[in-house]
Amino acid sequence: MKCPVCKWDGVGIADRFGDYDDINCPRCGRYEIGGSYGHILQQCETPDHLLCGVLRDFHERGVEPPRIEERVRQELIARILDSVPAKADRLLHYIAIRSREPGDEVEVIGKQDWPVVFGTSPFALAYYVDHLHDLGLIEKVDCVTTDLDQSSWGCTLTVAGWEKVESDRKTSIASDQGFVAMWFADAMTPIWKYSLKPGIEDAGYKALRVDSDEHNNKVCDKIIADIRESRFVVADFTGQRNGVYFEAGFAMGLGLPVIWTVRKDEIDNVHFDTRQYNHIVWEDAADLRRRLAERIRATIGKGPRPI
């Protein structure tokens, strides 16, 4: 069968979970999709490039995506980065992750890997490969072919490329900021105001969530920038918002510590791929504030801000 999302021919259904199919695609990675929504995508002849890019991003970060339905797709697509530097950085880190040691040559495949840069074809991938090469961040060997769809490149990070990767990874180490990913519902406002924000401050850090700072930037770009500049992320899964899973996964991909929290009555609803992590299962605002501050001090250390 064809992948419902990217139309790669020859993928199989690895398993079925009720109305959901478990798809394993060389281009998108592994994901689950609702039977009815999967049928709708199957009837569409053109690839869903944006959803393909999101699924591949989850796959590369080692975080299983939520089950894909139309509502879920819309929430995930809203957080796509569309800036050229962000896409170039994504490809650079993709090559770095696949390099077992400096000097290794990593094959980047046109037909398979264009979702890494949220592209729509191998032409987009070729642009970013050339861009990194022109910046001196990689050395590349082009395969010999007249058909770009069948093209691939042997890419090796230069010393400058490794310096860029390491700089990106270390940017947040000296930060005094803790980023909060949570459900933006009225019922959760007291939890932010009386638990998450003061709990982080009690540990000596500044608490930030994306709506607590004035800005003119696209929201998803602001989220990614704030996470990159943070020392850690607190992810509260009350409400089971897909954006929270996305932001926690992005932080993990950067190597940032993630502190997992959830209201007691929702712990059984947490996705099975993240349930393995030690959540702070809270009952009220005071309980969460105290335990959050203790967890931050125990796992990350006391922050530089006065308490």
Side-chain angles (χ1 to χ4, degrees):
M1 63 172 284
K2 287 186 177 180
C3 170
V5 176
C6 77
K7 312 307 175 184
W8 185 286
D9 202 6
V11 303
I13 299 176
D15 208 344
R16 275 197 169 92
F17 303 95
D19 293 332
Y20 292 87
D21 292 332
D22 183 358
I23 306 294
N24 193 7
C25 173
R27 185 184 284 148
C28 298
R30 193 160 185 167
Y31 64 95
E32 294 176 22
I33 191 165
S36 58
Y37 187 51
H39 180 72
I40 292 172
L41 289 182
Q42 284 282 19
Q43 304 310 307
C44 182
E45 296 182 359
T46 58
D48 187 334
H49 296 103
L50 295 179
L51 181 56
C52 178
V54 171
L55 293 173
R56 182 61 176 267
D57 185 58
F58 272 89
H59 177 76
E60 295 302 330
R61 298 186 186 285
V63 179
E64 289 293 329
R67 289 174 168 177
I68 303 302
E69 298 171 339
E70 177 60 23
R71 176 182 60 81
V72 174
R73 177 193 181 276
Q74 295 302 327
E75 291 188 16
L76 295 177
I77 295 303
R79 284 170 163 73
I80 288 180
L81 284 178
D82 57 5
S83 68
V84 170
K87 293 177 180 180
D89 283 350
R90 189 181 300 277
L91 179 58
L92 184 68
H93 284 263
Y94 174 84
I95 297 169
I97 289 171
R98 278 160 178 70
S99 301
R100 292 168 297 180
E101 59 182 359
D104 276 355
E105 184 176 284
V106 175
E107 185 180 19
V108 177
I109 303 171
K111 180 180 180 181
Q112 180 174 315
D113 292 332
W114 51 255
V116 172
V117 296
F118 285 103
T120 60
S121 72
F123 290 91
L125 185 63
Y127 171 84
Y128 286 100
V129 170
D130 288 342
H131 177 64
L132 292 179
H133 178 261
D134 291 344
L135 291 176
L137 300 178
I138 65 169
E139 295 176 352
K140 69 182 178 75
V141 177
D142 297 332
C143 71
V144 180
T145 178
T146 57
D147 182 0
L148 191 58
D149 192 52
Q150 301 300 320
S151 62
S152 64
W153 303 267
C155 298
T156 303
L157 261 67
T158 63
V159 172
W162 282 112
E163 288 176 346
K164 175 69 166 62
V165 169
E166 293 302 319
S167 175
D168 289 346
R169 290 173 177 171
K170 292 177 179 178
T171 296
S172 61
I173 291 178
S175 173
D176 65 350
Q177 177 173 288
F179 182 88
V180 177
M182 64 179 295
W183 181 23
F184 295 113
D186 290 343
M188 292 296 290
T189 299
I191 299 303
W192 160 250
K193 186 175 181 180
Y194 301 114
S195 299
L196 296 172
K197 184 175 184 292
I200 291 172
E201 292 172 347
D202 289 347
Y205 295 90
K206 170 189 173 184
L208 177 72
R209 68 176 190 175
V210 73
D211 69 332
S212 64
D213 190 20
E214 293 295 330
H215 61 86
N216 294 316
N217 301 322
K218 185 179 175 183
V219 173
C220 60
D221 289 338
K222 175 66 174 171
I223 289 171
I224 297 303
D226 284 341
I227 292 175
R228 286 187 182 277
E229 294 173 0
S230 297
R231 177 67 180 86
F232 59 90
V233 169
V234 176
D236 186 87
F237 292 91
T238 306
Q240 303 301 307
R241 311 313 293 171
N242 294 305
V244 177
Y245 284 97
F246 179 92
E247 289 150 29
F250 182 79
M252 292 177 70
L254 294 176
L256 295 181
V258 176
I259 296 176
W260 313 76
T261 72
V262 65
R263 196 172 59 205
K264 185 176 181 180
D265 63 338
E266 293 214 21
I267 183 61
D268 290 337
N269 297 327
V270 173
H271 196 274
F272 67 90
D273 287 305
T274 56
R275 201 175 300 161
Q276 60 183 301
Y277 298 106
N278 184 19
H279 288 69
I280 297 175
V281 182
W282 53 270
E283 298 189 51
D284 55 51
D287 175 52
L288 176 56
R289 174 175 178 171
R290 174 183 58 81
R291 295 172 63 192
L292 177 59
E294 291 175 351
R295 179 70 62 84
I296 293 171
R297 288 193 292 262
T299 59
I300 299 167
K302 182 179 176 295
R305 287 176 168 254
I307 299 174

